Amino acid sequence: MTQSLPALPVADFRTLMSHFPTGVAVITTTAPDGVPRGMTVSSVCSVTLSPPTLLVCLRNGSPTLDAVLGAGAFAVNFLHGDARPVAELFASGAPDRFDLVGWRQPDGAAGPHLVRDAHAVADCRVSRTEPVGDHTVVFGEAYRVAHEAGHLPLLYGLREYQVWQAGRPAESG
């Protein structure tokens, strides 16, 4: 006999996950009409080394998800510790966000690279998608990566941003 389990309240799950610090990234792509799209995420995870695959979780109905699916590609811009304002901007839904940051799209890139705010970027081809609740899990096979030396990652946990420091996180300015 299968027992019916109670549903966990959203607030309880949100609190639980706030206790798991994670890196902060901006997913970018170019829509079929040529408009750049992007959103802040903290749900990025490596899946496998061969082929080099990661996953991102994007909100259903977001223009960024629609553009990623239309383009079949996306860039993961891993933000550095001084990029908290950019994380907040791309989480805000502001329609002019790309006018407010430095970016370029190198030849063959999967999406805009946030040149002043990312310490690493992975260009990915969409290899598969899986709808789950109000989000879609997008698997991307990385085909190119770029790194900027000398930057520490931006983290998010306990509902605040922090900068990774050698040995332990320290507060972001």
Side-chain angles (χ1 to χ4, degrees), residues 5-167:
L5 299 175
L8 181 66
V10 171
D12 290 354
F13 189 67
R14 184 172 284 149
T15 297
L16 170 72
M17 294 312 299
S18 77
H19 287 76
F20 185 68
T22 186
V24 182
V26 172
I27 305 305
T28 59
T29 192
T30 303
D33 62 3
V35 175
R37 300 280 187 211
M39 67 188 293
T40 300
V41 299
S42 58
S43 51
V44 177
C45 179
S46 66
V47 177
T48 180
L49 293 175
S50 183
T53 302
L54 53 77
L55 66 78
V56 298
C57 299
L58 304 178
R59 182 179 44 80
N60 291 338
S62 75
T64 301
L65 174 60
D66 293 343
V68 165
L69 297 177
F74 60 95
V76 181
N77 292 267
F78 293 94
L79 299 184
H80 62 66
D82 294 327
R84 176 183 177 169
V86 172
E88 293 169 339
L89 174 66
F90 278 83
S92 74
D96 62 344
R97 64 191 94 172
F98 280 95
D99 296 335
L100 302 173
V101 298
W103 65 276
R104 66 183 175 83
Q105 187 157 343
D107 289 339
H113 290 195
L114 304 181
V115 294
R116 291 191 306 250
D117 302 298
H119 67 88
V121 180
D123 288 301
C124 302
R125 285 180 210 86
V126 174
S127 60
R128 137 178 204 207
T129 63
E130 186 69 37
V132 179
D134 60 358
H135 281 65
T136 295
V137 181
V138 180
F139 293 84
E141 185 176 332
Y143 63 87
R144 179 168 71 179
V145 296
H147 300 276
E148 288 292 325
H151 293 288
L152 298 169
L154 182 64
L155 302 176
Y156 189 76
L158 298 174
R159 296 190 177 105
E160 61 185 51
Y161 291 97
Q162 305 245 343
V163 178
W164 182 265
Q165 297 290 334

